[in-house]
């Protein structure tokens, strides 16, 4: 399905190396958008169109989007929700939830107000700083499965 446009966009993830998507297509999260939009770049003329919209009722506030190293998984870290979600990218731009990590659920720590996840240099790990945790959490990425470890400072 499609959405009508952006509503306070705050984060995007640019596709540069996934052969299933046109180069420079992107995913956009808007605070009031109710989900994540897939914006496809037309390779011939360079125009952008909203090609798909994945409604997500369980994310809110300021969220940061980060693709994993091979650009097959989109990570969504939401500050207000104290969580990190991993979504598999379908070739049509649809997102399929793979896993959710939430602060203080199933022994997860280091996710209290997460912000701006970053991939390690080799693409094997995702690092997520967390403001209120005064720490970070680390996630090892193995194809479609992610597992994590957190750290909280004093």
């Amino acid at each position: 399905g499609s959405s009508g446009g952006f509503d306070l966009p705050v984060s995007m993830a640019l596709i540069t190396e996934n052969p299933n998507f046109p180069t420079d297509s992107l995913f956009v999260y808007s605070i009031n958008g109710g989900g994540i939009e897939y914006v496809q770049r037309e390779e011939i003329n360079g125009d952008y169109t909203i090609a798909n919209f994945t409604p997500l009722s369980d994310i809110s506030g300021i969220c940061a989007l980060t693709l994993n190293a091979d650009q097959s998984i989109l990570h969504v870290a939401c500050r207000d929700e104290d969580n990190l979600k991993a979504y598999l990218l379908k070739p049509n731009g649809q997102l399929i939830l793979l896993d959710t990590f939430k602060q203080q659920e199933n022994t997860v720590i280091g996710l209290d107000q997460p912000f701006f996840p970053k991939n390690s240099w080799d693409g094997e790990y995702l690092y997520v700083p967390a403001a209120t945790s005064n720490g970070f959490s680390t996630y090892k990425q193995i194809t479609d499965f992610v597992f994590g470890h957190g750290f909280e400072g004093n």
Side-chain angles (χ1 to χ4, degrees), residues 49-116:
T49 57
I50 296 172
N52 205 324
F53 176 75
T54 303
L56 301 171
S57 61
D58 58 345
I59 64 173
S60 65
I62 297 175
C63 297
L65 307 183
T66 303
L67 290 164
N68 69 335
D70 71 3
Q71 300 190 340
S72 63
I73 297 173
L74 180 69
H75 298 286
V76 180
C78 293
R79 191 180 73 179
D80 293 354
E81 303 295 328
D82 296 340
N83 67 28
L84 172 72
K85 293 180 179 286
Y87 294 93
L88 178 66
L89 307 184
K90 302 297 278 183
N92 66 355
Q94 182 184 11
L95 304 176
I96 305 298
L97 182 64
L98 293 175
D99 213 339
T100 299
F101 297 91
K102 186 161 178 65
Q103 174 74 3
Q104 296 183 343
E105 283 185 10
N106 300 320
T107 70
V108 173
I109 62 169
L111 268 179
D112 198 353
Q113 293 196 341
F115 222 57
F116 298 122

Side-chain angles (χ1 to χ4, degrees), residues 103 107-111 128 133 135-139 147-153:
Q103 174 74 3
T107 70
V108 173
I109 62 169
L111 268 179
V128 185
S133 289
F136 61 92
S137 51
T138 307
Y139 302 86
F147 66 91
H149 176 76
F151 169 81
E152 292 186 348

